[in-house]
Amino acid sequence: MRNGLLDQETEERLLAYFNGELDEEGRFAVEQWLNDSPENKKVYYQLEKDTLFIRWANREQKVHVEDRKAMLFQQIRRAKIRKIGFRVAASVAVLVALGGVYLFMSTPTKENMLAENTPIIRANYPQARLVLSTGEVIDLTKNTDNIVEKDGSVVAIDTNKALVYNQSENVEVEKPIYNKVIVPRGGEFFLTLSDGTGVWLNAESELEYPVKFTSGERHVRLKGEAYFSVKKDTTKPFFVTSGDYRLRVYGTEFNMNTYHKERIQVVLVNGAVGFRANASTPERRLKPNQLGEANEITGEVEIKDVDVYSYIAWKNQDVVFVNERLESIMEKIERWYDVSVFFQNDSLKDVRFYGNVERYADIRDLLFFLEKTSDVRFSVKDRTIIVSNK
């Protein structure tokens, strides 16, 4: 190494060491090099961070491992053998250089995880409770029998533990009866409404809806976050409300996030929607690949073009970070894993991350990647995650 720069041969050797591809002689040579100076260890740890970060990016691009290595080394050369730097943030340069190539497909080993005494905390899904019109509460995680409402409607639970309402022709009813699905922290749930609309509910969310829609309109109420695939019906408009916020749907797919009333978000995947921040504001329309963010309290609205996948990835058990603050990421982790988070230093809330990582069943795997790609440390006590500086 010269003038703080890492030459290509050394970088390739360190990558091979990291991936367990060296023989005993090669491993011994690298370990000697690591012990030669503290600077060498710093270089290796930074390369380890970058390599783990690449693991996050675009798992869908399952190219051959040799092609991935060749692409990595080619991009390293183009990057002019970057200078090693240290900062409180996730490494961004490698993702930009590689265009989001997922380099290594393996999961972290037991030796690489957090401390061995870290408790196992898993995301449990699907998981939900159904509240019938009578007030009876049914645990949908345990119940496998069909449910009959007081109007005779049959509510089925399919083999995937999803809720399916009878999709017979909607009829005029004097007074609709309502059901509510409640998804706790650590859960997710999918249901199909009586008109054929599919709804994916995220953790800590609730959806209230009629068992049968009237002939006039289709109206549901959301608390939390849901992805909707609305069955098109020009004779029966579909509305989603949250407090005073109202969304009018024209047959479409979209994601709606109402966790924070001061920034209710709707991302349109396809079709058309119009929304009102509250009863006193006019309707605004969204186009596909746009985000509409509204403050229900003030009525302020912002519309911008976005990459929609980062907003809808959760329904595929993925999470995408696009310059996202650690505070926002940990809010999601609290809901997904039913944990509490404590920051020892408020400045850590502003650490930002880029990447695409699957929402691992075991929280240790997710925290492992966050920790290894930043200067943030995580420790877990019972169901509380403590965030501190390394």
Side-chain angles (χ1 to χ4, degrees):
M1 188 165 63
R2 299 182 303 275
N3 299 324
L5 300 179
L6 186 64
D7 64 81
Q8 181 189 346
E9 182 181 354
T10 303
E11 187 139 11
E12 291 180 2
R13 188 181 303 115
L14 293 178
L15 284 169
Y17 175 81
F18 178 80
N19 290 294
E21 298 172 349
L22 296 179
D23 57 21
E24 186 175 353
E25 183 180 354
R27 290 195 302 273
F28 180 75
V30 170
E31 288 163 3
Q32 273 197 320
W33 181 87
L34 289 172
N35 291 325
D36 282 346
S37 72
E39 180 66 15
N40 287 354
K41 288 184 178 180
K42 288 182 179 180
V43 168
Y44 174 75
Y45 292 144
Q46 183 64 36
L47 182 64
E48 180 186 48
K49 286 182 183 180
D50 290 346
T51 303
L52 287 168
F53 181 64
I54 299 167
R55 280 180 173 175
W56 283 12
N58 294 347
R59 293 178 295 108
E60 293 81 5
Q61 300 185 39
K62 296 180 179 179
V63 295
H64 190 273
V65 66
E66 294 302 324
D67 296 334
R68 292 197 294 270
K69 289 180 183 177
M71 186 176 294
L72 172 64
F73 299 142
Q74 180 183 27
Q75 296 296 341
I76 288 173
R77 288 193 291 272
R78 290 180 181 175
K80 300 180 181 178
I81 314 300
R82 55 182 169 71
K83 190 174 291 187
I84 303 300
F86 304 94
R87 57 207 175 278
V88 182
S91 304
V92 178
V94 174
L95 177 61
V96 174
L98 295 179
V101 175
Y102 174 72
L103 179 59
F104 300 108
M105 303 300 292
S106 60
T107 57
T109 63
K110 200 169 186 178
E111 293 76 16
N112 283 337
M113 288 187 182
L114 300 176
E116 288 186 3
N117 60 353
T118 300
I120 296 175
I121 300 174
R122 298 184 182 277
N124 298 315
Y125 47 82
Q127 184 183 177
R129 302 190 307 276
L130 174 65
V131 182
L132 300 178
S133 59
T134 60
E136 180 185 358
V137 180
I138 297 174
D139 186 342
L140 297 174
T141 309
K142 300 176 181 178
N143 188 82
T144 57
D145 299 326
N146 288 346
I147 303 161
V148 180
E149 256 290 1
K150 64 182 182 181
D151 67 347
S153 300
V154 176
V155 187
I157 300 175
D158 68 14
T159 54
N160 296 316
K161 292 189 176 296
L163 206 58
V164 181
Y165 282 78
N166 186 357
Q167 296 182 35
S168 59
E169 287 294 321
N170 292 329
V171 296
E172 188 73 40
V173 293
E174 292 183 4
K175 187 176 181 181
I177 61 174
Y178 284 83
N179 282 182
K180 180 189 290 186
V181 170
I182 302 173
V183 181
R185 285 189 172 198
E188 283 184 351
F189 205 75
F190 175 78
L191 68 152
T192 303
L193 302 178
S194 62
D195 67 335
T197 291
V199 185
W200 289 258
L201 283 167
N202 206 346
E204 202 173 11
S205 298
E206 299 178 9
L207 185 74
E208 187 175 12
Y209 50 90
V211 172
K212 291 180 180 178
F213 291 108
T214 67
S215 59
E217 67 178 37
R218 297 169 290 170
H219 182 201
V220 302
R221 289 184 283 272
L222 174 67
K223 179 181 178 182
E225 183 171 21
Y227 183 94
F228 291 82
S229 178
V230 176
K231 190 77 170 180
K232 189 171 184 179
D233 186 343
T234 56
T235 66
K236 300 180 183 69
F238 194 101
F239 294 96
V240 185
T241 60
S242 177
D244 288 338
Y245 181 97
R246 187 183 79 164
L247 184 78
R248 182 185 177 107
V249 184
Y250 299 92
T252 185
E253 293 193 25
F254 62 95
N255 192 81
M256 185 169 170
N257 182 333
T258 72
Y259 288 121
H260 300 283
K261 293 299 182 184
E262 70 277 10
R263 59 174 190 277
I264 295 176
Q265 296 179 331
V266 175
V267 172
L268 183 59
V269 178
N270 59 60
V273 297
F275 66 91
R276 296 172 61 179
N278 56 44
S280 63
T281 59
E283 182 176 281
R284 301 287 299 273
R285 296 289 290 267
L286 286 183
K287 298 177 182 178
N289 300 311
Q290 282 190 330
L291 163 70
E293 187 169 280
N295 187 319
E296 181 188 324
I297 301 170
T298 65
E300 296 178 354
V301 170
E302 180 183 8
I303 295 176
K304 57 185 177 182
D305 296 330
V306 296
D307 179 354
V308 298
Y309 189 70
S310 62
Y311 296 89
I312 68 173
W314 65 266
K315 82 178 187 72
N316 298 324
Q317 284 75 57
D318 288 342
V319 56
V320 177
F321 309 132
V322 181
N323 196 28
E324 186 166 358
R325 296 173 68 244
L326 182 58
E327 182 179 33
S328 173
I329 293 170
M330 298 311 291
E331 284 181 2
K332 294 175 181 177
I333 288 176
E334 284 183 314
R335 289 191 290 266
W336 290 335
Y337 294 93
D338 188 17
V339 296
S340 299
V341 175
F342 174 74
F343 284 86
Q344 288 191 334
N345 186 339
D346 282 347
S347 66
L348 294 175
K349 296 178 180 179
D350 290 322
V351 175
R352 292 183 178 269
F353 288 82
Y354 287 78
N356 178 352
V357 60
E358 69 180 67
R359 194 184 329 155
Y360 292 104
D362 189 338
I363 198 172
R364 294 178 300 177
D365 296 342
L366 180 53
L367 295 180
F368 167 75
F369 282 117
L370 290 172
E371 186 172 285
K372 286 296 185 179
T373 56
S374 71
D375 288 336
V376 176
R377 186 180 302 282
F378 300 95
S379 57
V380 183
K381 184 177 181 180
D382 297 325
R383 300 193 72 87
T384 299
I385 300 172
I386 301 168
V387 187
S388 60
N389 293 99
K390 284 184 179 177

